[in-house]
Structures are given as C-alpha cells and as structure tokens.
Amino acid sequence: MSDAPINLETLRQRIDELDSDILRLISERAECARRVAEIKTQEDPQAVFYRPEREAQVLRRIMELNPGPLDGEEMARLFREIMSACLALEQPVKVAYLGPEGTFTQQAALKHFGESAVSLPMAAIDEVFREVEAGAVNYGVVPVENSTEGVINHTLDSFMDSGLSICGEVVLRIHHHLLVADTTRRDKVSRIYSHPQSFAQCRKWLDAHYPHAERVPVSSNAEAARLVKTEWHSAAIAGDMAAKLYDLTRIAEKIEDRPDNSTRFLIIGNQDVPMSGEDKTSIVVAMRNQPGALHDLLEPFHRHQIDLTRLETRPSRSGVWNYVFFIDFKGHHDEPRVSAVLEEVRLRAAEVKVLGSFPQGVL
Ligand SMILES: O=C(O)C(=O)C[C@]1(C(=O)O)C=C[C@@H](O)C=C1
C-alpha cells in the first residue's frame, strides 16, 4: 500500500477491492477444478476425483509460500476449505466416521476433507470399514493412536480382515473441557460422564478438582455431552464439537494432563495413492515364531536407512502365526529403496500386507 494517510474508511475500501480480487481468483480456481474433472472423466469414466497426494502438495506449497502475517497453518486451513469446495464441484465426497456426531473423529474428518465433504456417523469402527467396502461412501475416518493412551487396537484388528488401504492420516490436538448445561447446578456436580480414554487423559486434573464425583464411562464424548442436558447434577468431559452440538458451557478448559495430547486418525479407502514427496507406508507382517524374528524383520530398514515411525505388536487372529507386527515408516512403496526393503521383508516374513502409502499429515 502507498504511504498516503490511512484511515478506517480507506482501509475498508482497500479490503473491498481485495475481496473482489479474491472472489474473482477463487471463482477462476473453481473453474479450473471443474475442467480438471472433465479431463479426468474423459481419461477414465470411473475416475477418482479426490487426489490426496495433490492436496498435500497444494497445502505444503501454500505453507512454504505464506508471507504472513497469518500463520502458515491458518492459511493452509483456508486453502483446505477452498479445495474442499472445488472438489465438491467435481464430485461431492462422502465420508463415514466413527460417530456419533460431535466426536473428535468427526472433527478429524472435517479437518482432512474440509466442510464441503458429506460426513456420516457410524456406530463402530468395523461399520466404518464395512461402509467403505460396500461402496456406500468414498472414504472412512478412524482413530488409530493417541499420544497419551497408545494404540487403538480395534482399528489395527479391522485391517487384518479388510482389503481396504490407507489413503491418508490426520493428527488432531485433543483438548478436553469440563462441560455443563444451562440447567446444571455447577456447585453440585456429583457425576461426570466421558469416554474411558478421555477419563484416562484427564485423570490427574479430575483427581485434583473433582475427587469425589462419580466417573461414568460412556461410549463417546458426544454421548457424554448429550446426557448432561438431562441431569442437573452432571457434567461431561468432551471437546469443542460436542460442546457446540449440545450447546454446553465450558467451565474448565483444556483439562487434559498432557498439553501435547493428540490423536492420529487414518483415512481408509480403495485408492492406491501416488507419491506426494513426503509420504509414509504402513505394512502388517506375520513372522515365523522363532528367536530373532523381530531383529530379522527390522534389520533391512536399518540397512536401507528407512525411518520407522511406529511399531505395534498384535496377537494374530488366524491362529497360524502367534503375532503380527504393524509397521509404519517414512517413504512410498514406489521409491526404489522402499520397494527393495519390502522385497527383503517378504523373503523373511511368513506374510506381508502393504496397507498403503500415503502423504504425511500436513495440517
Ligand atoms: O488437481 C486435481 O486433481 C483436482 O481435482 C483439483 C483439486 C484442487 O482444488 O486443487 C481438487 C480436488 C483434488 O482432491 C485435488 C486438487
């Protein structure tokens, strides 16, 4: 801007001009996306419109180019919504998530796909898998690990019986609040509802502030929030989405014991996602039950200098092999050093299943 004296009116005029420019540019971008859809359909009538690798590249580029003063993540979130609307113009994306409405998983689904996606709550993790397998929705979102409480076994087990692949990941900072309704007698709270994982994540805070309140575990935080509406002496521990959905007030904010409390969610689908430049791969491996098996499995990763990001052991459900290992590592299965490692692991293991290569979470 020039150095002419600045007053409120001049600034607002300038904002109007800029908004007109932004409007024109977003419309032009949406027109491009529409043309991309036409080309995709011409090339393949069954074309998949959602491209996780491209979206990750767009968001990373925006964060790199961002000159401020807005924070990089904030800027990427705005572009996330623009892309979400552009994709909806190509083909609305339907996403099943572990419900009910108002859970952190819904928040994760919207963070990943943007508000233009159609999100559908499911009652259980295996239902999310089934909906995607049946083709009733394009993708599913399920929690897989929490930084405080560890892995969500149900999700790992579901992969053992499923042919679906992992198309993406999203990490959400989990903030828990103590919520009450307008009708709650705040000085008489004698019962607190929440999901068992949330109780575990807020244990110390509860011991210090509500040592005598009854802690009642329920199936989700959203269910906890719903119950509070009906009882004058109860409170709930839940997140922002549930608070908003049930119109509850936060009487204590961010009560989780660890400030870095976060949960990682997986996007599941039927898509083999091309390289984005910063990718991860997930595999499940069944090893023969013999001494040194884990060492044999991990040695090729070490030799090829591939970073492991996670290693989980689960009892095998087939009965043939005692244990299976879930391994996440950096890299994409199309990269030569990754395919070399996978080749070696196949020779050493009884069974290997590649669950997918996908862009590392950007937001
Ligand atoms: O590049 C594409 O393939 C597009 O469809 C465009 C676009 C975008 O708006 O940038 C939209 C949806 C896809 O998931 C990825 C990117």
mmCIF file of all heavy atoms in Angstrom, residues 161-189:
data_model
loop_
_atom_site.group_PDB
_atom_site.id
_atom_site.type_symbol
_atom_site.label_atom_id
_atom_site.label_comp_id
_atom_site.label_asym_id
_atom_site.label_seq_id
_atom_site.Cartn_x
_atom_site.Cartn_y
_atom_site.Cartn_z
ATOM 1 N N ASP A 161 -8.666 -58.088 8.557
ATOM 2 C CA ASP A 161 -9.704 -58.781 7.769
ATOM 3 C C ASP A 161 -10.132 -57.966 6.556
ATOM 4 O O ASP A 161 -11.069 -58.328 5.876
ATOM 5 C CB ASP A 161 -10.982 -58.992 8.615
ATOM 6 C CG ASP A 161 -10.686 -59.577 9.965
ATOM 7 O OD1 ASP A 161 -9.829 -60.465 10.012
ATOM 8 O OD2 ASP A 161 -11.304 -59.137 10.958
ATOM 9 N N SER A 162 -9.514 -56.823 6.330
ATOM 10 C CA SER A 162 -10.050 -55.917 5.307
ATOM 11 C C SER A 162 -9.099 -55.775 4.128
ATOM 12 O O SER A 162 -7.883 -55.852 4.269
ATOM 13 C CB SER A 162 -10.283 -54.548 5.951
ATOM 14 O OG SER A 162 -10.542 -53.597 4.964
ATOM 15 N N GLY A 163 -9.686 -55.539 2.958
ATOM 16 C CA GLY A 163 -8.870 -55.301 1.764
ATOM 17 C C GLY A 163 -8.667 -53.818 1.516
ATOM 18 O O GLY A 163 -8.102 -53.421 0.497
ATOM 19 N N LEU A 164 -9.136 -52.977 2.436
ATOM 20 C CA LEU A 164 -9.032 -51.531 2.221
ATOM 21 C C LEU A 164 -7.601 -51.041 2.444
ATOM 22 O O LEU A 164 -6.830 -51.682 3.140
ATOM 23 C CB LEU A 164 -9.955 -50.786 3.194
ATOM 24 C CG LEU A 164 -11.452 -51.009 2.996
ATOM 25 C CD1 LEU A 164 -12.235 -50.216 4.028
ATOM 26 C CD2 LEU A 164 -11.876 -50.611 1.584
ATOM 27 N N SER A 165 -7.297 -49.887 1.852
ATOM 28 C CA SER A 165 -5.954 -49.349 2.098
ATOM 29 C C SER A 165 -6.025 -47.998 2.819
ATOM 30 O O SER A 165 -7.090 -47.376 2.908
ATOM 31 C CB SER A 165 -5.159 -49.234 0.799
ATOM 32 O OG SER A 165 -5.975 -48.797 -0.230
ATOM 33 N N ILE A 166 -4.863 -47.592 3.280
ATOM 34 C CA ILE A 166 -4.771 -46.304 3.971
ATOM 35 C C ILE A 166 -4.433 -45.252 2.925
ATOM 36 O O ILE A 166 -3.466 -45.394 2.188
ATOM 37 C CB ILE A 166 -3.680 -46.345 5.063
ATOM 38 C CG1 ILE A 166 -3.982 -47.473 6.052
ATOM 39 C CG2 ILE A 166 -3.576 -44.997 5.774
ATOM 40 C CD1 ILE A 166 -2.908 -47.676 7.116
ATOM 41 N N CYS A 167 -5.258 -44.205 2.839
ATOM 42 C CA CYS A 167 -5.055 -43.156 1.827
ATOM 43 C C CYS A 167 -4.548 -41.866 2.458
ATOM 44 O O CYS A 167 -4.243 -40.904 1.751
ATOM 45 C CB CYS A 167 -6.363 -42.808 1.129
ATOM 46 S SG CYS A 167 -7.216 -44.196 0.479
ATOM 47 N N GLY A 168 -4.511 -41.799 3.776
ATOM 48 C CA GLY A 168 -4.056 -40.557 4.391
ATOM 49 C C GLY A 168 -4.074 -40.655 5.900
ATOM 50 O O GLY A 168 -4.553 -41.653 6.461
ATOM 51 N N GLU A 169 -3.537 -39.634 6.548
ATOM 52 C CA GLU A 169 -3.559 -39.563 8.012
ATOM 53 C C GLU A 169 -3.832 -38.123 8.416
ATOM 54 O O GLU A 169 -3.542 -37.194 7.654
ATOM 55 C CB GLU A 169 -2.216 -40.029 8.606
ATOM 56 C CG GLU A 169 -1.057 -39.107 8.253
ATOM 57 C CD GLU A 169 0.232 -39.421 9.009
ATOM 58 O OE1 GLU A 169 0.274 -40.391 9.783
ATOM 59 O OE2 GLU A 169 1.201 -38.671 8.819
ATOM 60 N N VAL A 170 -4.395 -37.980 9.578
ATOM 61 C CA VAL A 170 -4.606 -36.627 10.094
ATOM 62 C C VAL A 170 -4.396 -36.663 11.609
ATOM 63 O O VAL A 170 -4.834 -37.595 12.280
ATOM 64 C CB VAL A 170 -5.990 -36.059 9.674
ATOM 65 C CG1 VAL A 170 -7.111 -36.986 10.031
ATOM 66 C CG2 VAL A 170 -6.250 -34.694 10.267
ATOM 67 N N VAL A 171 -3.658 -35.679 12.090
ATOM 68 C CA VAL A 171 -3.376 -35.624 13.525
ATOM 69 C C VAL A 171 -4.156 -34.446 14.107
ATOM 70 O O VAL A 171 -4.177 -33.358 13.539
ATOM 71 C CB VAL A 171 -1.866 -35.442 13.779
ATOM 72 C CG1 VAL A 171 -1.573 -35.340 15.267
ATOM 73 C CG2 VAL A 171 -1.082 -36.606 13.174
ATOM 74 N N LEU A 172 -4.819 -34.720 15.216
ATOM 75 C CA LEU A 172 -5.644 -33.678 15.848
ATOM 76 C C LEU A 172 -5.149 -33.448 17.265
ATOM 77 O O LEU A 172 -4.979 -34.419 18.019
ATOM 78 C CB LEU A 172 -7.082 -34.200 15.880
ATOM 79 C CG LEU A 172 -8.223 -33.217 16.009
ATOM 80 C CD1 LEU A 172 -8.312 -32.366 14.752
ATOM 81 C CD2 LEU A 172 -9.541 -33.987 16.183
ATOM 82 N N ARG A 173 -4.907 -32.195 17.630
ATOM 83 C CA ARG A 173 -4.627 -31.886 19.040
ATOM 84 C C ARG A 173 -5.936 -32.060 19.795
ATOM 85 O O ARG A 173 -6.957 -31.502 19.400
ATOM 86 C CB ARG A 173 -4.156 -30.429 19.171
ATOM 87 C CG ARG A 173 -2.746 -30.221 18.711
ATOM 88 C CD ARG A 173 -1.750 -30.881 19.666
ATOM 89 N NE ARG A 173 -1.541 -30.101 20.856
ATOM 90 C CZ ARG A 173 -0.628 -29.144 20.957
ATOM 91 N NH1 ARG A 173 0.172 -28.871 19.956
ATOM 92 N NH2 ARG A 173 -0.499 -28.457 22.067
ATOM 93 N N ILE A 174 -5.887 -32.862 20.841
ATOM 94 C CA ILE A 174 -7.129 -33.143 21.567
ATOM 95 C C ILE A 174 -7.190 -32.269 22.815
ATOM 96 O O ILE A 174 -6.358 -32.403 23.716
ATOM 97 C CB ILE A 174 -7.201 -34.636 21.973
ATOM 98 C CG1 ILE A 174 -7.099 -35.536 20.742
ATOM 99 C CG2 ILE A 174 -8.443 -34.934 22.790
ATOM 100 C CD1 ILE A 174 -8.290 -35.563 19.834
ATOM 101 N N HIS A 175 -8.174 -31.382 22.825
ATOM 102 C CA HIS A 175 -8.401 -30.571 24.020
ATOM 103 C C HIS A 175 -9.721 -30.982 24.650
ATOM 104 O O HIS A 175 -10.761 -30.960 23.987
ATOM 105 C CB HIS A 175 -8.445 -29.080 23.667
ATOM 106 C CG HIS A 175 -7.123 -28.565 23.164
ATOM 107 N ND1 HIS A 175 -5.960 -28.720 23.881
ATOM 108 C CD2 HIS A 175 -6.800 -27.926 22.027
ATOM 109 C CE1 HIS A 175 -4.965 -28.173 23.207
ATOM 110 N NE2 HIS A 175 -5.438 -27.704 22.073
ATOM 111 N N HIS A 176 -9.647 -31.358 25.920
ATOM 112 C CA HIS A 176 -10.865 -31.723 26.644
ATOM 113 C C HIS A 176 -11.303 -30.574 27.538
ATOM 114 O O HIS A 176 -10.460 -29.887 28.116
ATOM 115 C CB HIS A 176 -10.591 -32.936 27.551
ATOM 116 C CG HIS A 176 -10.369 -34.205 26.801
ATOM 117 N ND1 HIS A 176 -11.303 -34.741 25.961
ATOM 118 C CD2 HIS A 176 -9.323 -35.052 26.778
ATOM 119 C CE1 HIS A 176 -10.839 -35.861 25.452
ATOM 120 N NE2 HIS A 176 -9.632 -36.072 25.931
ATOM 121 N N HIS A 177 -12.622 -30.422 27.648
ATOM 122 C CA HIS A 177 -13.159 -29.383 28.535
ATOM 123 C C HIS A 177 -14.177 -30.029 29.481
ATOM 124 O O HIS A 177 -14.761 -31.050 29.137
ATOM 125 C CB HIS A 177 -13.869 -28.289 27.735
ATOM 126 C CG HIS A 177 -13.104 -27.840 26.533
ATOM 127 N ND1 HIS A 177 -11.847 -27.289 26.629
ATOM 128 C CD2 HIS A 177 -13.414 -27.871 25.215
ATOM 129 C CE1 HIS A 177 -11.425 -26.984 25.415
ATOM 130 N NE2 HIS A 177 -12.350 -27.337 24.545
ATOM 131 N N LEU A 178 -14.376 -29.367 30.627
ATOM 132 C CA LEU A 178 -15.465 -29.810 31.505
ATOM 133 C C LEU A 178 -16.685 -28.987 31.125
ATOM 134 O O LEU A 178 -16.658 -27.745 31.194
ATOM 135 C CB LEU A 178 -15.093 -29.609 32.980
ATOM 136 C CG LEU A 178 -16.092 -30.264 33.928
ATOM 137 C CD1 LEU A 178 -15.996 -31.794 33.853
ATOM 138 C CD2 LEU A 178 -15.859 -29.823 35.371
ATOM 139 N N LEU A 179 -17.750 -29.690 30.720
ATOM 140 C CA LEU A 179 -18.920 -29.015 30.144
ATOM 141 C C LEU A 179 -20.157 -29.174 31.015
ATOM 142 O O LEU A 179 -20.397 -30.255 31.562
ATOM 143 C CB LEU A 179 -19.228 -29.611 28.769
ATOM 144 C CG LEU A 179 -18.086 -29.638 27.754
ATOM 145 C CD1 LEU A 179 -18.517 -30.390 26.502
ATOM 146 C CD2 LEU A 179 -17.677 -28.217 27.391
ATOM 147 N N VAL A 180 -20.931 -28.099 31.081
ATOM 148 C CA VAL A 180 -22.219 -28.170 31.789
ATOM 149 C C VAL A 180 -23.307 -27.500 30.952
ATOM 150 O O VAL A 180 -23.009 -26.724 30.039
ATOM 151 C CB VAL A 180 -22.170 -27.469 33.176
ATOM 152 C CG1 VAL A 180 -21.255 -28.206 34.127
ATOM 153 C CG2 VAL A 180 -21.749 -26.005 33.034
ATOM 154 N N ALA A 181 -24.559 -27.807 31.299
ATOM 155 C CA ALA A 181 -25.706 -27.194 30.610
ATOM 156 C C ALA A 181 -26.171 -25.964 31.398
ATOM 157 O O ALA A 181 -25.708 -25.732 32.523
ATOM 158 C CB ALA A 181 -26.832 -28.206 30.515
ATOM 159 N N ASP A 182 -27.092 -25.206 30.808
ATOM 160 C CA ASP A 182 -27.648 -24.018 31.498
ATOM 161 C C ASP A 182 -28.306 -24.412 32.812
ATOM 162 O O ASP A 182 -28.301 -23.650 33.784
ATOM 163 C CB ASP A 182 -28.741 -23.368 30.633
ATOM 164 C CG ASP A 182 -28.146 -22.744 29.401
ATOM 165 O OD1 ASP A 182 -26.899 -22.620 29.367
ATOM 166 O OD2 ASP A 182 -28.913 -22.409 28.481
ATOM 167 N N THR A 183 -28.873 -25.616 32.821
ATOM 168 C CA THR A 183 -29.643 -26.065 33.984
ATOM 169 C C THR A 183 -28.781 -26.732 35.058
ATOM 170 O O THR A 183 -29.275 -27.087 36.127
ATOM 171 C CB THR A 183 -30.698 -27.090 33.506
ATOM 172 O OG1 THR A 183 -30.042 -28.004 32.634
ATOM 173 C CG2 THR A 183 -31.856 -26.414 32.801
ATOM 174 N N THR A 184 -27.495 -26.934 34.780
ATOM 175 C CA THR A 184 -26.633 -27.640 35.746
ATOM 176 C C THR A 184 -26.373 -26.767 36.971
ATOM 177 O O THR A 184 -26.099 -25.571 36.843
ATOM 178 C CB THR A 184 -25.268 -27.991 35.104
ATOM 179 O OG1 THR A 184 -25.498 -28.586 33.845
ATOM 180 C CG2 THR A 184 -24.457 -28.921 35.986
ATOM 181 N N ARG A 185 -26.441 -27.376 38.161
ATOM 182 C CA ARG A 185 -26.014 -26.672 39.394
ATOM 183 C C ARG A 185 -24.502 -26.877 39.507
ATOM 184 O O ARG A 185 -24.040 -27.937 39.937
ATOM 185 C CB ARG A 185 -26.735 -27.275 40.611
ATOM 186 C CG ARG A 185 -28.231 -26.996 40.666
ATOM 187 C CD ARG A 185 -28.530 -25.619 41.273
ATOM 188 N NE ARG A 185 -27.916 -25.470 42.582
ATOM 189 C CZ ARG A 185 -28.491 -25.846 43.732
ATOM 190 N NH1 ARG A 185 -29.684 -26.379 43.728
ATOM 191 N NH2 ARG A 185 -27.864 -25.659 44.889
ATOM 192 N N ARG A 186 -23.761 -25.854 39.081
ATOM 193 C CA ARG A 186 -22.301 -26.026 38.940
ATOM 194 C C ARG A 186 -21.606 -26.397 40.254
ATOM 195 O O ARG A 186 -20.581 -27.054 40.246
ATOM 196 C CB ARG A 186 -21.680 -24.737 38.399
ATOM 197 C CG ARG A 186 -22.157 -24.408 37.024
ATOM 198 C CD ARG A 186 -21.549 -23.138 36.525
ATOM 199 N NE ARG A 186 -22.134 -22.812 35.224
ATOM 200 C CZ ARG A 186 -21.584 -21.997 34.369
ATOM 201 N NH1 ARG A 186 -20.452 -21.407 34.650
ATOM 202 N NH2 ARG A 186 -22.172 -21.742 33.221
ATOM 203 N N ASP A 187 -22.179 -25.925 41.386
ATOM 204 C CA ASP A 187 -21.538 -26.220 42.670
ATOM 205 C C ASP A 187 -21.933 -27.595 43.202
ATOM 206 O O ASP A 187 -21.482 -28.013 44.262
ATOM 207 C CB ASP A 187 -21.918 -25.128 43.693
ATOM 208 C CG ASP A 187 -23.434 -24.943 43.776
ATOM 209 O OD1 ASP A 187 -24.129 -25.282 42.775
ATOM 210 O OD2 ASP A 187 -23.933 -24.501 44.815
ATOM 211 N N LYS A 188 -22.804 -28.296 42.455
ATOM 212 C CA LYS A 188 -23.314 -29.590 42.957
ATOM 213 C C LYS A 188 -22.993 -30.740 41.996
ATOM 214 O O LYS A 188 -23.684 -31.752 42.008
ATOM 215 C CB LYS A 188 -24.852 -29.512 43.129
ATOM 216 C CG LYS A 188 -25.337 -28.565 44.202
ATOM 217 C CD LYS A 188 -25.463 -29.318 45.513
ATOM 218 C CE LYS A 188 -26.191 -28.562 46.589
ATOM 219 N NZ LYS A 188 -25.477 -27.429 47.149
ATOM 220 N N VAL A 189 -21.966 -30.562 41.192
ATOM 221 C CA VAL A 189 -21.650 -31.631 40.224
ATOM 222 C C VAL A 189 -21.153 -32.877 40.959
ATOM 223 O O VAL A 189 -20.123 -32.838 41.626
ATOM 224 C CB VAL A 189 -20.585 -31.150 39.200
ATOM 225 C CG1 VAL A 189 -20.081 -32.313 38.357
ATOM 226 C CG2 VAL A 189 -21.172 -30.062 38.310
#
